[in-house]
Amino acid sequence: MYTETSPAVRLKVWFYSIPLFTRFYMLFMIGLFILQLITGINEQKYCLAPYFIWNSDSFISGFAQCYRFITSSFIHFGLIHLLMNMSAFQAVGPWFERTVGSLPFLWNILIFAISSNLIHFGLVLLLEYNPIFQDSSSLSTCSLGFSGVLFALFMIKSSSTEEPQRIFNITVSSKLYPWVL
């Protein structure tokens, strides 16, 4: 005999099937977004814009802005941005946490957040101060979101398998998968 479960029960089963720290990060970012909406937090205070760090009045005031290397990964520009990042994270986060374990997962996410922002910072400075093409607007461009971490997770997943991946019903080589996303 077939009995259909309610959507609330299916949602609860799905939610508790997600590993602990994947769930923690998802709830943390959703909670931060709700806090942004309630308090009217200005994203400019937490985004990674190299101008705020590089062009500070002094070394000390520039160093004081280094919190942006962490905060910028967990704050999002809008609901669509958050939902897209969380849907991608839900697709790869549980796999990675089950693969490496919960505590290494926790630390790896923080390391990926900081390192992807450092790479972004370096690329912006390279774009700004190269002799061929200078773009002064890149220093003040505000960067937010979990995309750098997601890219790192998808790169690790694609490196661990030779199996082709599917995107919108199109088969893609596992090595190209993160770049196509």
Side-chain angles (χ1 to χ4, degrees), residues 2 164 171:
Y2 177 75
T171 303

Side-chain angles (χ1 to χ4, degrees), residues 6-21:
S6 71
V9 170
R10 285 192 304 237
L11 182 64
K12 184 178 179 180
V13 168
W14 168 79
F15 182 73
Y16 285 108
S17 71
I18 298 172
L20 178 65
F21 285 119

Side-chain angles (χ1 to χ4, degrees), residues 127 129-134:
L127 184 63
Y129 296 109
N130 75 68
I132 300 167
F133 175 75
Q134 292 184 345

Side-chain angles (χ1 to χ4, degrees), residues 84-85 87-89 91-92 147 149-158 165-168 170 172-181:
M84 295 298 283
N85 274 205
S87 64
F89 186 52
V92 74
S147 300
V149 173
L150 292 172
F151 185 74
L153 292 173
F154 279 110
M155 286 298 287
I156 291 168
K157 186 174 184 180
S158 72
Q165 304 292 316
R166 296 187 69 77
I167 301 171
F168 302 118
I170 299 170
V172 177
S173 163
S174 66
K175 302 304 177 210
L176 295 176
Y177 183 63
W179 299 98
V180 173
L181 286 177

Side-chain angles (χ1 to χ4, degrees), residues 110-123:
L110 289 173
I111 289 167
F112 295 156
I114 294 168
S115 61
S116 66
N117 285 327
L118 285 170
I119 291 169
H120 172 264
F121 186 79
L123 288 173

